[in-house]
Amino acid sequence: MVPTAFLRSHDYRYLIKRWRSVARASGLVMRSFSQVGGYPVYFLRSRKLPQFGIIYISAGIHGDEPGGTEACITWAEQNSETLASLPLLIFPCLNPWGLINNSRNDDQRRDLNRMFQHDEIPVLRELKRLIQPLRFSLALMLHEDYDGHGVYIYEGRTGLESWGDALTSVARKFIATDPRPRIEKRVFRNGVFLRKIRLKLFEKIGLPEAAYLQLHHAERVFTIETPSEFAIDRRVAAQIAIINECVRRVHKTRSK
Ligand SMILES: [Zn+2]
């Protein structure tokens, strides 16, 4: 049976209520920092945030992808006692208007995830200002794809060993890896695309959050995509498995 919380996955007030409880239980600081379509946008962060080694998680920049916002809050609820020991910056829903209206875009029909090159959109300008002094060891963007046939991942190409296969593998307990060799005109290998930043391309299609973070802030960047036509409990479970595996791996690297 689908837990009742998932049936309210477009209820932004309820989502924020759940995050307030997480903030209380975990000691994370929760603040609103901007608005989209008249709705406040929040971040949560550790009380003492180091300048380096932070874990950045964001969801809900596309409002028709509720698996991401649900996975993020459910993961946080499941781990509220250990969250305080992690250096965290979380954006639980970057496009509340979109979530409420089941829309990819904001109230002015803009795809915010193609606009990180601009400074005139308040929520993106404020987000960039907030993170300006910070460096992330990991940035996770939680997305969904209504054409998806399974889980797939964009991984920022770095000199480091790739984690993509390990992440699709932990998700496979809940949802198979998307078998398509080409997704969104890109060649995927076992559900993983290693992204190199091609500025010319991004100037044309618009700069997404993940590319902005890869360019300026983060050591490792992943965009997780679950298929939004699949059952929500499985999508949430698959995304949580990936978040847990990423956090475990960052921890392992930090304690070496
Ligand atoms: Zn998306």
Side-chain angles (χ1 to χ4, degrees), residues 62 65 104 143-144 225:
H62 291 147
E65 302 173 5
R104 177 180 178 89
H143 283 253
E144 299 206 278
E225 301 272 358

Side-chain angles (χ1 to χ4, degrees), residues 84-102:
S85 64
L86 297 170
L88 281 176
L89 179 62
I90 302 174
F91 294 96
C93 181
L94 284 174
N95 178 9
W97 186 92
L99 187 77
I100 292 162
N101 291 283
N102 195 23

Side-chain angles (χ1 to χ4, degrees), residues 21 26 36 78 90 105 107 114-115 119 132 135 152 161 163 172 183 194 206 235 246 252-253:
S21 304
S26 63
V36 172
Q78 289 172 354
I90 302 174
N105 298 333
D107 58 312
R114 297 287 180 272
M115 313 217 77
D119 273 331
Q132 197 273 331
R135 294 289 172 270
Y152 66 92
E161 172 210 2
W163 289 0
R172 218 168 288 146
I183 302 173
L194 289 176
R235 285 142 56 199
C246 280
K252 214 168 78 181
T253 334

